[in-house]
Amino acid sequence: MPGYLLLLPLAPFAAFLFTLLFGKRLGHGAHWPPIIAVLVSLGCALLAMADVLQGRRVNADLYTWISSGTFQVSIGFLLDELTAVMLIVVTSVSTLVHIYSVGYMHHESGYYRFFSYLSLFTFSMLMLVLGNNFLQLFFGWEAVGLSSYLLIGFYYEKESAADAGKKAFIVNRFGDFGFSLGVILVFFTFGTLHYAPVFANAAAIAGRTFDIFGMSFDLPTLIALLLFCGAIGKSAQIPLHVWLPDAMEGPTPVSALIHAATMVTAGVFLVARCNPLFALSATALNVVTVVGAVTCLFAATIALTQVDIKRVVAYSTVSQLAYMFIACGVGAYSAGIFHLFTHAYFKALLFLGCGSVIHAMGNEQDVRRMGGLKKYLPITYWTFFLATVSISGIPGLAGFFSKDEILAMAFASPIAAGKFAWAIGTLVAGITAFYSFRLFFLIFHGTFRGTEEQRHHLHESPPTMTVPLMVLAVGAVASGWLGIPEILGGGAHWGHFLAPVLGHPEVHLSHATEWLLMAGSVGVGLLGLALAYFMYVRQPAVAEGIRLGFPGVHRWLFNKYYVDELYSAALVQPAIKLSRETLLRIVDGRLIEGVVNGLPAAIGQLGEKMRRLQNGSVHHYLTTMTIGAVVVLVWLATR
Amino acid sequence: MDFPLLSILIFFPVIGSAALLCVPRERPAAIKALALGISCVEFLLTLPIWLGFDKTTHLMQFVERRSWIPVWNVQYNLGIDGISVLFVLLAAFITVLCVLVSWSAITVKLKEFYVALLLLQGAMVGVFCALDFVLFYLFWEAMLIPMFLLIGVWGGPNRVYAAVKFFLYTLVGSLLMLVGILVLYFASGRTFDILVLAGQSYPITMQLFLFWAFFAAFAVKVPMWPVHTWLPDAHTEAPTAGSVVLAGILIKMGAYGFLRFSMPILPDATRMMMEPMIVLSLIGIVYGAMVCLSQTDVKRLIAYSSVSHMGFVTLGLFAMNTQGVEGGILQMINHGVVTGALFLGIGMVYERTHTRKIADYGGLASIMPKFSGFFLLFTMAAVGLPGTNGFVGEFLILLGGFGARPWAAVFAASGVILGAWYMLWLYQRVFFNQVNTAWSTLSDLNGREVMIMVPMALLILAIGFFPNILLSFMHVSVAHLLERVMGGSAAVAGITAGVNPFGG
């Protein structure tokens, strides 16, 4: 195993420990160990990519982690094309976010704590993508969850932040419930948890069934769907999407790194990594596609009405992750990873741009108090603009290529839900352009709607923040050029590069169809853009009119379809009530304690009664003796 | 082995406590120092076990055999194997921490407190080393007295009720076990030797009777649902050291009893009772976790969480395959470490605030950052985060449970969700949210307290990343045990990879 693979996760781990233990003494220099470590990781990731490009792959165990009977699992590293791409995404965005945070978190009291958590996260995420088996994946999976918990709850004295961190952790546990059962089922099916033998033998389990609860399930479908449960949680898809918008309580750099570019994409990575398993089940693929399509539309519609700028971007993330699942569902894994890649840059840019705006506005996040910021924040304005154009799928920028690839693949897919996903995806492309430009116009155009004090305070962010913005802007524009399709004169390099791991979907689209599909998605995108321009720049009264004209619709969207309220009423409150009213008060309190406390009391009473038998009166004793003797005699006689 | 190491381990604390009695009452510092010294020496005495234990045999090691009451063929037999060795080590380790954590918490009847603690330690080590049923029973009952005193004298306001409840509950269970022991004695041709008893076979009706007689003693101790209600009271009222010993060692003896007696002596009954035991374990897991959701007292919450965690342990044991049993034993150690650590932490903060009500807390993370950091790690270990010891045990148990009855793993896994819910909720209410201004002047952990926390934290991570350090102790003994319980060689491998236990 090349040494850099070991250094990749260990550098941030060392920085985490060091900063946690000694960071307080470093004061405002506490960012140095984490930044140096992430730069080391970035360097190693580039080396890894260079090696992979030269055809080198690694699959090596470091040591045996758990050994019990036939159950053997290692800590080990797998380096292939998919890992290499993930390594680049994670380390590059992480590096930029580290640098950005130096400016953004400058005034925060837990400065060293923040940076040590960032290092912990980077370590965990790298362990997740580098693992060569399911259990190490699970290790990274939970460790990024812990980092996320800590960073969402960074301002823990705020109850909403502490709530949000806890919610993220617990909702993810629902996904992990299925995921861990999936991992266990993988072990029982294949006798190992290591990727290589599992995927090599995957085809052999086609058609097998598994019986539980008196029902018979198709084994590959069951495995795939159980694993997918974990992906639903981590990547915030319906019905476990509720934690991600709340996670915006965390500092904005965290939202960019963890809740947009890297951790939330772990679910997509998981499905892509396990593609040999998913490929065995059309049912599972259809479920993935439908969950993706429904989430895609669902989240995009909510984004239309939100007024907190981070929440708009958060719902947009849920919606974009859903595109990636659509891709995986229709078997176009490399298209999904392509979108993961471009999305990491344009979405991190959007979030960091929001951070720059929030920074300038004195922690204001309500878009209704912004407006006209263009002239105060020129760099933020232009970089945010590029990110918005990119996510809207305007030709030439990164988002266009990756989204278009997904839509084409969905259209061409032989699976049942393919056309459905294509239709939804195309519609959502328009909605995406609309809400993205709505946000953009509301922040940067029109007149300033905040307070005088805020206006006075407005300023462009320091270079530690603007430089990462500009670097990300390059990614938001150019990262898509790695996968320009053949029809546009490109070499479709992306798909070819990943094909050894992710395969090539067998699709055949005529050029005319491809052109038509492209024109369609670009068309709705431009339509959304134009509509946003009309409603939020030219005729702001129209937007207000629509809001007042459809109060019911607006209320539903604004309140996120009341899913949180539903969960609270149907799940959380009943569980607590069951705990308090039934289990604690009745079962524990009355039944068990009744017996426990009642038994000694009953024995006491019995003794009281028995005592009366010995009352010293002879004729009582005689009577008892006689009755006893008769009983014994009768028993002996009838025996 | 000629050197009576185990006897020394058992009786050194007893002799030490006698020495403690000679120290004048007016010199509390000397009493504490001597108690600490004794517990540390005891811990160092376990070193030969660490170094000299042979992991390649299932046979008893460090064996001592002496005739004791020849008339009844009672022997003084001691020995440890891969199943008991870790508990001896744990008992020695935990006691040191218990002495340290009581340093400033115990102010009345100081001498008697440490005497009780050391006597308890001697009896606990004895339980894990005894290979004769009478000797075992003696240590088992001897434990009750110092523990009863620890709760009843140094406990909280409701201590007498809790102590009596603890005593009666366990005594009733133990009496049934005594009946069982006598029945075995006569059935086996008059021997109390556990190894001999485990080598014979008994009629199935008798096995079933004995199984439930032993169950009465062991299930109360674990505690399994529905005989768990003494635990919340005992834990809540006990002083910190009492709770730590209770969680760390005492309740492990129930599960140990199943392993040492029920399974090898009554293999057929154990096999027959597999499903009822699994179901009881599952109820314990879910029930214990559910009840945690409505607790308002920190110690009560941790006590109920023990019911849930010990449900995992018994699930693993009665899965009766390699992963289940090894995971169960490991989880016993883990639970001792993690719940012990949680109680240690609660004790430290209680010493400062004198309240156990969750609602009285809030925002401690700002006031006691070091303490919050440690407690977070313990919380994560309790919810089974990978990288901590809790995960390894829980995962092996889920694997084992799945191998035995797939539905068992499904229900048990739901306990993992609930576990995160109540533990993180607790953590939030104590450490996050607004600072309760009443506590804004609390001091963070002092040097002594950090010294208690660090070894616990290191153990949690060390077992989390390198569980084979402990698992390697048990492989051979567990395999031997399973061979006895399941019979035939097919079962020995436990879950046989590749062989499909289900359809298709």
Side-chain angles (χ1 to χ4, degrees), chain A residues 13 24 63-71 75 112 117 123 135 138-140 142-143 146 149-150 153 156-160 162-163 165-166 169-170 173-174 177 180-181 183-185 187-193 207-213 219 571-576 578-584 587-589 592-593 596-597 600, chain B residues 161 165 168-169 225-226 228-230 233 287 290-295 304 322-323 326 363 365-366 369 376 380 383-387 391-392 394-396 398-400 402-403 406-407 409-411 413-414 416-417 420-421 424-425 427-428 431-435 464-468 471 475 493 495-504:
Chain A
F13 185 69
K24 210 165 191 174
Y63 73 94
T64 304
W65 181 17
I66 305 176
S67 152
S68 172
T70 53
F71 180 75
I75 294 290
Y112 79 98
Y117 293 167
F123 159 72
L135 211 63
F138 193 55
F139 165 77
E142 295 287 283
L146 170 66
Y149 165 76
L150 291 170
Y156 54 80
E157 289 189 16
K158 227 170 111 193
E159 190 161 351
S160 55
D163 276 339
K166 180 184 61 179
F169 199 102
I170 296 170
R173 276 273 158 136
F174 277 89
F177 168 76
S180 50
L181 289 173
V183 170
I184 290 172
L185 194 54
F187 174 72
F188 276 91
T189 308
F190 297 98
T192 175
L193 286 180
R208 271 170 58 181
T209 57
F210 178 76
D211 301 327
I212 187 170
F213 297 124
L219 184 59
L571 222 70
V572 180
Q573 300 310 326
I576 293 175
L578 173 73
S579 164
R580 189 165 31 222
E581 306 292 327
T582 313
L583 300 184
L584 196 59
V587 181
D588 246 37
I592 300 175
E593 287 289 85
V596 170
N597 291 329
Chain B
Y161 171 75
K165 192 173 183 179
L168 287 182
Y169 237 117
W225 189 90
H228 62 277
T229 60
W230 63 271
D233 285 315
Y287 186 97
M290 285 292 298
V291 171
C292 281
L293 292 178
S294 54
Q295 292 306 315
Y304 272 111
T322 310
Q323 286 79 8
E326 293 194 351
S366 305
L376 181 72
M380 286 303 146
V383 305
L385 196 85
F391 171 72
V392 183
E394 234 169 53
F395 190 76
L396 285 177
L398 288 178
L399 270 179
F402 194 96
W407 47 262
V410 177
F411 284 108
S414 72
V416 176
I417 301 176
W421 185 356
L424 292 188
W425 196 14
Y427 194 83
Q428 177 185 5
F431 293 92
F432 293 165
N433 298 350
Q434 283 243 278
V435 179
F465 284 102
F466 305 100
N468 294 332
L471 288 171
H475 292 323
I495 299 154
T496 325
V499 174
N500 187 10
F502 34 82

Side-chain angles (χ1 to χ4, degrees), chain A residues 307-369:
Chain A
V307 292
D308 180 320
I309 57 173
K310 284 183 72 181
R311 291 215 169 216
V312 175
V313 186
Y315 278 105
S316 148
T317 303
V318 175
S319 178
Q320 295 296 312
L321 290 168
Y323 272 111
M324 302 173 204
F325 281 111
I326 293 177
C328 293
V330 299
Y333 304 100
S334 68
I337 296 297
F338 189 26
H339 199 54
L340 185 161
F341 182 70
T342 62
H343 174 258
Y345 297 108
F346 66 68
K347 188 52 65 67
L349 178 53
L350 279 176
F351 264 121
L352 293 185
C354 283
S356 180
V357 169
I358 294 166
H359 191 70
M361 293 283 299
N363 287 329
E364 178 65 70
Q365 294 185 199
D366 192 329
V367 74
R368 289 170 299 191
R369 304 214 183 83

Side-chain angles (χ1 to χ4, degrees), chain A residues 259-312:
Chain A
H259 304 121
T262 54
M263 182 188 83
V264 289
T265 63
V268 182
F269 169 74
L270 168 71
V271 177
R273 178 55 87 201
C274 300
N275 69 80
L277 292 172
F278 280 82
L280 297 174
S281 167
T283 314
L285 288 176
N286 274 306
V287 170
V288 173
T289 310
V290 170
V291 166
V294 172
T295 307
C296 190
L297 180 64
F298 175 88
T301 52
I302 296 175
L304 288 172
T305 58
Q306 298 302 308
V307 292
D308 180 320
I309 57 173
K310 284 183 72 181
R311 291 215 169 216
V312 175

